[in-house]
Each structure stands twice: as structure tokens, then as C-alpha cells.
Amino acid sequence: METPQDKLEIEFNNRGNTGQYILKVFYDYEEIKFKAGDEEEYNPSYTFQLESLKSINIPLNLTKDIKKDNKSHKITVGVYASPEKNAKTIKAMTNTFGVTIDYELVFNEGEGKISLIQKPSNPMKIMDVQFQGIMINNDFKSDNQAMFPPYSLKVKKGEKVKLAYRAGGYQDVEDYLILSMLDWNQINMDEKTYLLLKNNQQN
């Protein structure tokens, strides 16, 4: 890449159901605008339709606000299912309905080049783990029991919500990053735009 705005391409293989999907991009774990597909404007999300077992390639350009600064930054890309549906209506658990991948954007001083690096991973190693991923709940149990998340949370406007996050199954992972969205827009947790948690159950 010559500039942070050079065209990138997202390849997504749909192993789920036919329906709508939404693409989100984060820069240093904060939501940014981008231009995707055939859109002319920069937006914080891109929604598309895709049939089951089909794949799609989506060209995108990052916001012009990103500048070369000779530092390393994180680019986080996520594709999530059914943005037009309500989990309460379809009675679907929402703890595993998307994929998120983290990249490192490295500005190489002196060379004038930009590198996009993904940390190698082997997802097949964790396929047989009984519990994996992250669940969200507002039901707190003293015995650390894994509770299924509710279909929806009922809150009043302006009300602060206390949530329980449970992460596990990835014994070779040092940290967990939690990004939260409301209506597909990033929201604060504990007055922070994201939470970085240590994995205390490593073997």
C-alpha cells in the first residue's frame, strides 16, 4: 500500500443462512467510516445480501482521516449476520453469528510503504472446544456458570446497563478484546470505547 486510503478487498464466505450481513471496520478499536462496494460516500457500515454457501468480495477504502504517522495501528474488520432482524423475534442466540479479524497496519518509515499484517491463526484447533467465544448476559451467578444470553434486554432510555461477559475456550490467547455496539454503532463500556481483558485461565 502507498497510502492508508489504497483500495482493500474483503472476502467473505457465507457458512450461515441466506440473508443480510453487515460489515464494520475499526481503527485502533474505534469505529471508522469507510467506502465499500459501489458506494460513493463514506459510511460507518456496509450492508449486503448473500446466499448460504456463497462468497463475496467487497472493495473498500478507509476514511481519509487516517494519516501516515510512522506507527503501528490495528485494523479490525467484522462481518455480522442479520442486521435487519431482531433476536427477540427470531429467538436466535447471538453469541456466534459473525466473524471478526484483527490486522496490524504498519507504516514503514523511510520506505514509504504500508504493510497490512494478520497474525497467523489456526481456527481448526478450537473447533472441538465445548465452550468458545464470548457470551453476554445480565444474569450474574456466583458459581461462574455459563448462562445462555437472553434474546433481548429491556431497559429505559438513559438507563445504565450492567452486563456480564464470559470468555473462554481459547487457552493460547493472552487477551480478550470486547467491542460493543447498539444498533450497529459503537458504544462505551465503563466509560471506555473498548475493554481489554486478560485471560487468567491459560494452561
Side-chain angles (χ1 to χ4, degrees), residues 45-61:
S45 62
Y46 177 73
T47 304
F48 59 94
Q49 182 83 13
L50 191 62
E51 294 181 8
S52 179
L53 303 180
K54 297 291 185 179
S55 63
I56 188 173
N57 289 61
I58 304 172
L60 68 84
N61 300 88

Side-chain angles (χ1 to χ4, degrees), residues 23-40:
L23 172 67
K24 301 290 293 186
V25 180
F26 300 84
Y27 183 73
D28 288 337
Y29 306 131
E30 295 195 6
E31 182 182 65
I32 62 170
K33 291 184 177 182
F34 58 94
K35 185 165 56 176
D38 55 0
E39 293 185 344
E40 296 294 328

Side-chain angles (χ1 to χ4, degrees), residues 91-106:
K91 301 293 185 182
M93 293 297 180
T94 56
N95 58 310
T96 53
F97 74 127
V99 59
T100 304
I101 300 179
D102 210 26
Y103 296 86
E104 186 176 5
L105 191 67
V106 181

Side-chain angles (χ1 to χ4, degrees), residues 112-202:
K113 299 288 185 181
I114 303 172
S115 301
L116 192 63
I117 304 168
Q118 181 189 357
K119 183 179 179 181
S121 62
N122 182 6
M124 299 306 296
K125 290 175 57 179
I126 59 174
M127 293 300 289
D128 295 327
V129 177
Q130 185 176 8
F131 172 78
Q132 59 194 37
I134 294 176
M135 284 189 178
I136 185 173
N137 210 315
N138 61 343
D139 190 355
F140 294 83
K141 299 294 182 181
S142 59
D143 58 0
N144 201 30
Q145 181 182 357
M147 302 295 295
F148 282 110
Y151 295 126
S152 63
L153 301 175
K154 294 182 179 180
V155 298
K156 298 178 181 178
K157 184 177 180 179
E159 178 183 352
K160 287 190 176 182
V161 181
K162 187 176 182 181
L163 299 174
Y165 299 91
R166 179 179 174 86
Y170 303 112
Q171 296 182 352
D172 58 343
V173 172
E174 296 179 0
D175 307 308
Y176 289 99
L177 172 76
I178 299 179
L179 299 171
S180 288
M181 290 177 282
L182 179 63
D183 292 332
W184 303 109
N185 296 308
Q186 188 175 18
I187 58 174
N188 285 353
M189 302 165 287
D190 296 341
E191 310 302 326
K192 301 175 183 177
T193 52
Y194 62 88
L195 297 179
L196 188 62
L197 308 177
K198 290 291 182 182
N199 180 12
N200 296 321
Q201 297 182 351
Q202 290 179 284

